[in-house]
Amino acid sequence: GHLVRDFNEKWANELRRFVGRNTGLAALEGALDALEFFLLNRTTQMQAMYILWFESITSYPLVRRRLAANHIAYRRDTARWLTQAIADGEVRPGLDPESFAVEFSAFIFGLVYQWLANPSAINLHTVLQHYRDNTIKRLGTDPS
C-alpha cells in the first residue's frame, strides 16, 4: 500500500505543478506535460507502479480497487477540464466530456503500456506532441 500511496502523492504534486491554476485545454496540456516529465524523470518509479497496476488486474484485488479509484479520479479531472473548455467557448459544444475522458485515459495508459514493454521503441516527446497537436488543439473552436 505504501508504494501506491507514495506514488499517488508524488503524481498529484507533479500534476498540480504542471496544471497550476489552468483550466480547460491548458489544463489538459499541463497534464500531458506532467506525464512526460514523470515518465522521463521518475522512470523507475513509473515502471514499478504501472507494472504493479497491470499485474493487479489478475492478482491483487486491493491494488486493483485503488487503481479503479485512480481511474475514476483521472477521468473526473479530464471531464471537468473539457466541461470548462466548452463553457468558456474554447471547445465546440456537443462533445461528451465523459467519453472524451475515457479516450484521454485510454491514450495515456495505452502509451505507458507500450513504453513499458519497449521503452526504446517509443519516443514519448514526439508521440505526446503529436497527440497534443492532433487531438487537444483540434478540440478548439479556432481552426488555426
Side-chain angles (χ1 to χ4, degrees):
H2 291 296
L3 182 67
V4 176
R5 200 167 350 165
D6 184 49
F7 176 85
N8 283 345
E9 278 175 24
K10 285 195 169 75
W11 169 247
N13 289 336
E14 291 300 346
L15 194 58
R16 268 194 297 276
R17 197 161 73 81
F18 280 92
V19 173
R21 297 185 180 279
N22 287 327
T23 60
L25 295 183
L28 285 168
E29 292 198 47
L32 293 175
D33 291 339
L35 176 71
E36 181 176 350
F37 177 84
F38 221 69
L39 289 172
L40 295 177
N41 294 283
R42 308 266 189 276
T43 303
T44 310
Q45 205 177 9
M46 278 297 254
Q47 287 170 330
M49 198 64 240
Y50 272 83
I51 288 166
L52 175 63
W53 276 342
F54 288 129
E55 286 284 317
S56 79
I57 300 299
T58 55
S59 312
Y60 304 101
L62 176 65
V63 177
R64 189 176 69 227
R65 282 197 296 277
R66 289 222 175 109
L67 175 60
N70 282 1
H71 283 176
I72 288 168
Y74 299 157
R75 289 194 300 263
R76 195 172 43 226
D77 284 345
T78 304
R80 187 179 75 246
W81 294 328
L82 188 58
T83 300
Q84 289 164 344
I86 293 168
D88 293 344
E90 261 192 309
V91 168
R92 64 191 181 279
L95 286 171
D96 173 13
E98 279 70 32
S99 292
F100 174 78
V102 173
E103 290 171 32
F104 188 74
S105 294
F107 165 72
I108 288 171
F109 277 85
L111 174 62
V112 172
Y113 194 71
Q114 292 176 74
W115 173 79
L116 281 175
N118 188 355
S120 65
I122 305 282
N123 183 321
L124 288 171
H125 181 72
T126 301
V127 172
L128 285 163
Q129 206 51 51
H130 185 267
Y131 182 79
R132 175 184 313 230
D133 292 342
N134 286 287
T135 303
I136 306 303
K137 290 184 176 164
R138 292 248 171 108
L139 290 173
T141 49
D142 177 9
S144 59

